[in-house]
Amino acid sequence: MKRYLVNISTLVRKELKQVIRNKTLLSTLVFYLLFTTFLLPRVINFDLRNLKVTVVDKNQSVLTEKIIRDIGNSGKMELIGSYGTYEDALKIVEYGKADCIVVLPDDLEKNYLSGNYDKIQLTVKAVNMAKAQIGQHMVEAVIMSSVLEYFQRQGVTLDSGTAVISECNLFNPTMDYILFTVPVLLLIIGCYLGVSMTKNTMASEVRSGFMNLINVSPLKPWTLILSKIVSCCIVGSVIFALTLVLSYLFYGLPSQWSMIGGIFLCFIIFLIAISSLAIFIRNIIHNTILALLIPTIIQAILYLFSGLFTPPESMSETLQYINYINPGRYLVIILRGIVLKGAEIRDLAVQFSLLGLVAAVMCVLAIVSFRKRLA
């Protein structure tokens, strides 16, 4: 028994020394520790902030003034303004300047006092389902608190369980999770394709000695980089077609085939950005293991920051600024805008332009870094 314990302790010491001496493994473990401890809690944050609310006040009473004031003073909601008609407030939401509409009906206070609980209409933009669900509960809580507090001061007892809110979800009325998720399948597929295809082909070229031939040949570096990006886009086009067909057969998306052009353009620009990023990382990192591992880690970070799970507006202000260079962020906004809202390319021109700018910058970085490596 003693001999077995000695053998086990010897093997344990050997394994620990091996881990300590392996700088690649040790640095990876430290990175995962820092990533999990500091970044994940800040990114996966379901505590919604800066929910933009518009109000349609048809009552113009003391009660409605209190509701509007409490919404503005809640600390987590931003009151955009009060409008005379629902149509005016809806335009603000369609332009992307607001997330929620609160409609306070005529004679609201009078009806409550007479026992006729006229419902307050709450309309939430449900393109981002997580943000819609959380925001809906936040606004409901503030309104109910205001109503109960107001009538308590008036000496009127109002049942706290009374349903005074009528809910309506814009652009995704059934809050179907499939409709919310399927548009961003291209994010997952595009990231995997761009990262895995690029890093595997470059690794095989290094192993086979092909890269050494490129280094001594008169071939321009940018031609090699562009050939990799173009080949990735060609393969991506086939994958895009298959994804589109399967999404239509299984989920009924897209509902209008006129959307395909905008979706395809967005996907190709995204592929250019991701493949260029993978090439850039491979160019500046000479360690084979790290060159294969780091793109996969960055791929996971792109998922988390994209808004696929958590609204980007709920992240810390610093992370929101960093997120502007994330191509996944623009892909998610564009795809949900096209599929759920029926938007066209001209409606999302700003997002398309920013996505194209990020792709162009990453492409330039991939080319420049490869030229520096040759030097």
Side-chain angles (χ1 to χ4, degrees):
M1 185 67 180
K2 183 178 180 180
R3 185 181 63 181
Y4 291 123
L5 292 174
V6 172
N7 291 338
I8 292 173
S9 62
T10 303
L11 291 173
V12 168
R13 287 197 300 271
K14 188 266 296 182
E15 291 293 333
L16 292 176
K17 289 179 181 179
Q18 187 174 350
V19 170
I20 295 173
R21 291 171 181 173
N22 191 330
K23 295 181 180 180
T24 301
L25 180 59
L26 193 62
S27 60
T28 303
L29 291 175
V30 172
F31 177 84
Y32 266 112
L33 174 63
L34 296 176
F35 173 76
T36 305
T37 305
F38 295 106
L39 188 59
L40 280 181
R42 296 178 182 274
V43 175
I44 304 179
N45 179 14
F46 292 97
D47 183 19
L48 191 64
R49 291 178 290 178
N50 299 325
L51 182 74
K52 298 177 181 178
V53 181
T54 60
V55 178
V56 179
D57 188 2
K58 298 180 179 180
N59 188 216
Q60 301 289 333
S61 65
V62 178
L63 173 59
T64 57
E65 289 179 1
K66 175 176 173 49
I67 293 174
I68 295 172
R69 185 171 60 254
D70 289 346
I71 290 175
N73 296 333
S74 63
K76 294 186 177 182
M77 289 179 280
E78 180 182 351
L79 184 63
I80 300 300
S82 181
Y83 299 87
T85 64
Y86 179 79
E87 289 73 20
D88 293 337
L90 184 60
K91 289 180 181 179
I92 302 299
V93 174
E94 291 176 344
Y95 291 152
K97 298 179 180 179
D99 304 306
C100 177
I101 303 174
V102 177
V103 181
L104 305 173
D106 293 328
D107 299 326
L108 180 66
E109 182 177 357
K110 180 180 177 181
N111 290 335
Y112 277 150
L113 293 174
S114 63
N116 180 19
Y117 299 127
D118 199 2
K119 290 188 176 181
I120 299 171
Q121 180 181 341
L122 177 60
T123 303
V124 181
K125 181 174 65 174
V127 174
N128 189 324
M129 192 177 69
K131 184 175 183 179
Q133 289 178 331
I134 300 169
Q136 191 176 80
H137 293 306
M138 284 173 48
V139 179
E140 285 182 4
V142 172
I143 293 176
M144 282 300 303
S145 176
S146 298
V147 171
L148 293 174
E149 182 182 346
Y150 176 80
F151 284 109
Q152 186 177 10
R153 291 179 179 178
Q154 302 295 322
V156 178
T157 302
L158 186 66
D159 184 6
S160 60
T162 303
V164 298
I165 307 293
S166 175
E167 300 172 356
C168 176
N169 300 312
L170 287 176
F171 312 123
N172 189 6
T174 61
M175 293 294 278
D176 189 347
Y177 188 76
I178 291 178
L179 293 177
F180 176 75
T181 306
V182 169
V184 293
L185 286 178
L186 292 176
L187 168 68
I188 301 173
I189 295 171
C191 276
Y192 180 77
L193 175 64
V195 170
S196 62
M197 181 177 173
T198 303
K199 71 180 183 181
N200 289 332
T201 55
M202 295 191 74
S204 63
E205 289 171 354
V206 172
R207 288 195 303 267
S208 63
F210 177 76
M211 195 60 65
N212 292 329
L213 296 176
I214 294 296
N215 291 340
V216 298
S217 70
L219 187 67
K220 297 293 183 181
W222 63 266
T223 58
L224 178 65
I225 301 299
L226 290 183
S227 66
K228 292 184 177 298
I229 295 174
V230 171
S231 62
C232 184
C233 291
I234 293 174
V235 176
S237 300
V238 178
I239 300 298
F240 173 82
L242 293 175
T243 304
L244 202 68
V245 171
L246 293 176
S247 298
Y248 179 75
L249 292 177
F250 289 103
Y251 309 111
L253 292 174
S255 58
Q256 297 179 359
W257 291 100
S258 58
M259 301 177 178
I260 296 177
I263 298 175
F264 179 73
L265 177 61
C266 175
F267 181 66
I268 291 299
I269 299 176
F270 177 74
L271 266 185
I272 294 174
I274 292 299
S275 57
S276 299
L277 177 61
I279 293 172
F280 172 69
I281 294 172
R282 186 66 183 84
N283 288 341
I284 63 176
I285 298 177
H286 301 283
N287 186 294
T288 304
I289 297 177
L290 286 179
L292 295 174
L293 182 61
I294 290 181
T296 304
I297 297 174
I298 292 178
Q299 179 180 337
I301 295 175
L302 293 180
Y303 291 158
L304 295 174
F305 276 70
S306 65
L308 178 61
F309 305 106
T310 303
E313 296 83 1
S314 296
M315 303 175 190
S316 66
E317 189 173 351
T318 303
L319 293 180
Q320 289 185 44
Y321 286 123
I322 298 175
N323 203 20
Y324 282 113
I325 62 174
N326 178 14
R329 175 182 185 270
Y330 304 109
L331 179 74
V332 170
I333 293 174
I334 293 172
L335 289 182
R336 286 178 178 165
I338 292 175
V339 176
L340 295 180
K341 299 176 67 175
E344 298 180 359
I345 295 179
R346 63 174 178 269
D347 301 321
L348 299 165
V350 175
Q351 305 300 330
F352 269 104
S353 301
L354 292 174
L355 178 59
L357 178 61
V358 172
V361 170
M362 290 184 177
C363 188
V364 170
L365 288 175
I367 295 174
V368 171
S369 62
F370 192 80
R371 291 178 62 183
K372 287 182 178 179
R373 187 178 177 185
L374 286 176

